[in-house]
Amino acid sequence: MTTQTLIYLIVGATFALYIGIAIWARASTTGEFYAAGRGVHPVMNGMATAADWMSAASFISMAGLIAFVGYDNSTYLMGWTGGYVLLACLLAPYLRKFGKYTVPEFIGDRFYSQSARIIAVICLIVASVTYVIGQMTGVGVTFARFLQVEASTGLYIGAAIVFAYAVLGGMKGITYTQVAQYIVLITAYTIPAIFISLQLTGTVLPPLGLFSDSVSSGTPLLVELDGLITDLGFASYTGHHTNTLNMVLFTLSLMIGTAGLPHVIIRFFTVPKVADARWSAGWALVFIALLYLTAPAVGAMARFNLVNTIQTGEVGTPEGNLAYADVPTWFTTWEQTGLIKWEDKNEDGRIQFYNDKNTAFETQAEAWGWRGNELTVNADILVLANPEIAALPGWVIALVAAGGLAAALSTAAGLLLAISSAISHDLIKGTINPNISEGGELMAARVSMAAAIAVATYLGLNPPGFAAQTVALAFGLAAASIFPALMMGIFFKRINNVGASLGMLAGLLFTVIYIFVYKGWFFLPGTSQFPDTPEYWVFGISPLSIGAIGAVVNFAVAYFASQATQEPPQEIQVLVESIRVPRGAGAAIDH
Amino acid sequence: MHQGSSSDDAYWKANLSLIRNILIIWALVSFGFGILLRPLLSGIPVGGTDLGFWFAQQGSIIIFIILIFYYAIRMNAIDRKFGAEE
């Protein structure tokens, strides 16, 4: 059987499985649609949360981002896992105790303010829609390569599948589908990693392989990798080369943002008890860590393999560089997608892959007859191309395709649920038409999904950056607006309606404006005030790291505005006290 | 106000002090060992690099998991001690 047939077979089988589960576990009430009837086992919810959480960015882009940068991008690893500690002790148990369906609903009730609720809805929609863009891009990339279609066609196909799937599911269907998707994606991610770790280091477990000796030279893999790439003018892999302040703030923004992402928070509404919400956060991180401990190994090993493929011999000798006539098949397949580009600048028929931005290395390179870097590799393809680069069997390649799609689809479904429930439950049921019938509310949730997908598809066709960077913007927004409001709602009784509303607005505007100034207004190309490069950033803080500062702005504005205005009413203080204690949480509805 | 309010205050204080301890370790392993204190740990070799690199790429994640389970276990005990469980 050819690899292509295997890909169609395995991807087709997983799609059939997801749709099967979605049909079997279809939601018939709003309680099931929004919170899966609150009957999900904490381990099961942990697994679903892991799939909900690990997106195209985690699966497809993250290892690539680490591979091309090394230590400095450890921020993604710490940031995207550290948020679960915050979630477990600062948010999840109390919000489960509160026992409603959406994040804006908590903010509206706790701050006894319809406008706070609306601001929360806007924050939620902006953050979730930004996040969906990354998923759509990921779906497009995966389809383009593995199902032999254009990236834009892939995007349309992906959107159609996500649509069918999210509308059928509701939270109940999505939960069980995400469990299946987790199993697909973690298998797809770890199997090639194990093979590659064995090939390069003889160690079965990739996280241990990363710190083991290379089979070919006997020196530690990381030492050999540092040597290989610094010889080509690249910055060392293990060294620290970026602004430390920015690194800290970026990590913090990702952590707070993770804890403030509504589609993750609402997963904790589905467990039966408050104690289950705590356990569930732990299980979620265990399942997430299986991928996150593998990713840095995949990154380092992929970089190692890539450089060795191109730089076949001694650096500087003509024969040291791979002749284009001899490139492996994976190289040409990926070239067709436009994600690998080669331009023979010095017309020697060989590929030079080096850092031509390094001025210290320039004279040396010129002396060798190199006329600039000839190879561009999109960071997003490293994980997808990994099995081919390591010459693994066809079924592994097919599995990776299915895994990438599982990661993107499961997250997209979770996001769409968060968006549609905010629109149907908070805007329509909560504001416009409180007397809407159960069936009417369900229908409204489904219709709003369609609109969200249309917007996400448009933005997916015109993405502002790497898939993971697009996602990072969503984190800034969640960090600056939603997380502080939720945390203050639980931990600070004195914060009132005025404080919370102004705080959220200030955090959101501050963050969004800082991002738009560098990334273009509404990400429209050519509308940015300053180039998005470190020398233009205030104190070297990148637009991706600004969420943490936005959160501080939010906290400060909320505190001072609350101090200057009236204390929250007695019943709100009682509400806060009851959220803090698990006793008396609503029991599971059914299952 | 509902019943058991003073015991609920003690319960909340116990929760806050547990959270504080957890967040200190959370910040120490990630922002501390992984980033800011890495130069101090550069003398401790781990598989071709140093301890700070290990914390940034693996150690912090493992400690985060331990912290969450520790919090869940301790909070269950605190829930029972103050009669705050469901």
Side-chain angles (χ1 to χ4, degrees):
Chain A
M1 218 183 300
T2 67
T3 303
Q4 199 54 46
T5 319
L6 279 167
I7 291 171
Y8 283 121
L9 214 62
I10 292 187
V11 169
T14 58
F15 281 180
L17 174 68
Y18 308 150
I19 292 172
I21 296 172
I23 293 171
W24 165 71
R26 211 168 31 198
S28 51
T29 64
T30 49
E32 287 182 343
F33 193 92
Y34 294 136
R38 302 199 201 280
V40 181
H41 189 275
V43 178
M44 191 86 103
N45 186 51
M47 214 180 258
T49 307
D52 190 55
W53 162 249
M54 290 193 287
S55 56
S58 292
F59 189 95
I60 300 172
S61 308
M62 192 176 61
L65 287 169
I66 297 169
F68 284 109
V69 176
Y71 165 78
D72 290 330
N73 271 357
S74 309
T75 46
Y76 290 102
L77 296 166
M78 292 185 284
W80 282 343
T81 53
Y84 280 84
V85 178
L86 302 179
L87 205 50
C89 44
L90 300 180
L91 299 183
Y94 321 102
L95 294 176
R96 170 62 192 86
K97 170 66 197 297
F98 179 65
K100 297 285 179 69
Y101 292 138
T102 70
V103 169
E105 193 174 16
F106 170 77
I107 291 176
D109 286 4
R110 161 62 183 85
F111 298 113
Y112 48 100
S113 158
Q114 202 62 22
S115 47
R117 188 174 183 175
I118 305 285
I119 297 168
V121 169
I122 295 168
C123 294
L124 181 153
I125 289 176
V126 173
S128 303
V129 169
T130 320
Y131 204 146
V132 155
I133 302 170
Q135 313 317 310
M136 304 313 267
T137 321
V139 169
V141 169
T142 315
F143 265 100
R145 165 58 189 92
F146 292 107
L147 293 111
Q148 311 284 333
V149 290
E150 289 281 309
S152 55
T153 317
L155 200 64
Y156 292 126
I157 299 174
I161 289 164
V162 170
F163 176 77
Y165 170 81
V167 170
L168 275 174
M171 185 56 115
K172 188 178 166 193
I174 286 174
T175 300
Y176 296 105
T177 319
Q178 282 173 336
V179 170
Q181 284 165 331
Y182 175 77
I183 293 165
V184 172
L185 79 87
I186 201 67
T187 314
Y189 202 84
T190 46
I191 287 183
I194 289 170
F195 274 119
I196 293 166
S197 180
L198 275 172
Q199 285 173 355
L200 292 184
T201 68
T203 313
V204 180
L205 295 176
L208 298 179
L210 177 63
F211 296 99
S212 301
D213 292 345
S214 147
V215 169
S216 55
S217 66
T219 52
L221 182 78
L222 287 169
V223 172
E224 199 180 344
L225 178 60
D226 272 348
L228 272 178
I229 61 178
T230 46
D231 282 350
L232 293 166
F234 294 106
S236 72
Y237 192 84
T238 56
H240 183 164
H241 309 285
T242 54
N243 181 322
T244 306
L245 171 69
N246 187 47
M247 198 174 164
V248 168
L249 286 178
F250 185 45
T251 307
L252 187 59
S253 297
L254 292 179
M255 286 175 173
I256 307 176
T258 301
L261 281 174
H263 74 284
V264 177
I265 295 173
I266 58 174
R267 282 239 47 96
F268 293 92
F269 296 173
T270 67
V271 294
K273 295 184 349 183
V274 174
D276 293 334
R278 299 178 192 134
W279 290 119
S280 208
W283 285 111
L285 191 53
V286 167
F287 293 123
I288 289 166
L290 289 179
L291 190 146
Y292 273 59
L293 292 175
T294 308
V298 169
M301 290 170 191
R303 179 88 178 268
F304 187 90
N305 272 335
L306 180 69
V307 172
N308 272 332
T309 304
I310 306 300
Q311 194 67 49
T312 48
E314 201 185 324
V315 179
T317 58
E319 318 74 59
N321 292 78
L322 181 71
Y324 185 71
D326 300 334
V327 295
T329 359
W330 63 263
F331 192 99
T332 31
T333 1
W334 282 97
E335 247 188 329
Q336 287 156 15
T337 66
L339 297 170
I340 286 183
K341 288 194 192 87
W342 176 65
E343 186 195 343
D344 195 6
K345 290 178 181 160
N346 63 352
E347 295 173 347
D348 66 346
R350 289 175 183 275
I351 306 169
Q352 278 90 41
F353 179 42
Y354 70 103
N355 183 8
D356 57 5
K357 307 275 186 310
N358 182 347
T359 42
F361 190 67
E362 214 175 321
T363 20
Q364 179 69 80
E366 270 171 24
W368 288 331
W370 296 1
R371 297 285 172 268
N373 177 45
E374 298 179 349
L375 185 71
T376 331
V377 181
N378 185 319
D380 281 355
I381 69 164
L382 266 194
V383 166
L384 300 178
N386 225 357
E388 296 161 272
I389 296 176
L392 299 179
W395 63 269
V396 180
I397 299 167
L399 201 56
V400 168
L405 290 169
L409 294 181
S410 59
T411 306
L415 288 162
L416 291 162
L417 185 81
I419 296 169
S420 59
S421 58
I423 294 174
S424 59
H425 193 65
D426 292 303
L427 286 186
I428 297 177
K429 166 98 173 160
T431 313
I432 301 167
N433 181 9
N435 301 319
I436 192 168
S437 68
E438 168 91 8
E441 195 184 338
L442 260 178
M443 180 51 70
R446 290 176 171 152
V447 171
S448 52
M449 267 182 191
I453 293 175
V455 173
T457 309
Y458 169 78
L459 291 169
L461 290 167
N462 309 283
F466 284 164
Q469 287 199 349
T470 326
V471 166
L473 295 173
F475 284 84
L477 299 178
S481 58
I482 298 164
F483 176 83
L486 293 175
M487 194 191 153
M488 288 185 292
I490 298 158
F491 286 83
F492 304 102
K493 267 195 236 173
R494 184 63 182 81
I495 302 296
N496 61 19
N497 50 350
V498 179
S501 304
L502 290 180
M504 277 193 289
L505 274 182
L508 179 76
L509 288 177
F510 175 84
T511 306
V512 166
I513 290 173
Y514 194 84
I515 291 171
F516 283 169
V517 161
Y518 294 102
K519 300 264 178 197
W521 293 86
F522 303 95
F523 304 125
L524 295 174
T527 59
S528 61
Q529 253 74 34
F530 300 107
D532 190 15
T533 47
E535 55 268 33
Y536 290 93
W537 297 340
V538 180
F539 297 118
I541 300 169
S542 112
L544 302 178
S545 316
I546 201 66
I549 309 283
V552 174
V553 170
N554 185 340
F555 278 120
V557 169
Y559 176 79
F560 289 111
S562 297
Q563 290 297 327
T565 46
Q566 274 196 334
E567 198 177 29
Q570 188 61 37
E571 71 264 22
I572 296 301
Q573 312 220 10
V574 172
L575 171 74
V576 176
E577 275 164 20
S578 98
I579 291 167
R580 291 176 175 183
V581 182
R583 193 195 311 116
I589 299 168
D590 58 22
H591 261 236
Chain B
M1 301 294 278
H2 58 91
Q3 280 185 320
S5 166
S6 68
S7 109
D8 282 357
D9 283 348
Y11 168 80
W12 188 244
K13 282 211 181 78
N15 183 19
L16 289 182
S17 86
L18 178 59
I19 291 175
R20 184 197 60 219
N21 294 340
I22 283 182
L23 293 186
I24 289 172
I25 301 173
W26 164 82
L28 185 69
V29 295
S30 51
F31 304 112
F33 297 159
I35 304 175
L36 298 168
L37 303 177
R38 187 179 174 201
L40 296 180
L41 303 177
S42 60
I44 308 168
V46 174
T49 176
D50 55 78
L51 191 62
F53 183 94
W54 180 79
F55 265 105
Q57 300 220 330
Q58 277 184 10
S60 55
I61 300 174
I62 295 166
I63 309 268
F64 293 156
I65 294 175
I66 297 170
L67 285 176
I68 298 179
F69 279 105
Y70 178 73
Y71 179 71
I73 292 166
R74 289 286 302 133
M75 275 314 283
N76 281 352
I78 293 174
D79 283 355
R80 276 192 301 276
K81 184 177 163 197
F82 290 92
E85 77 267 40
E86 287 145 278

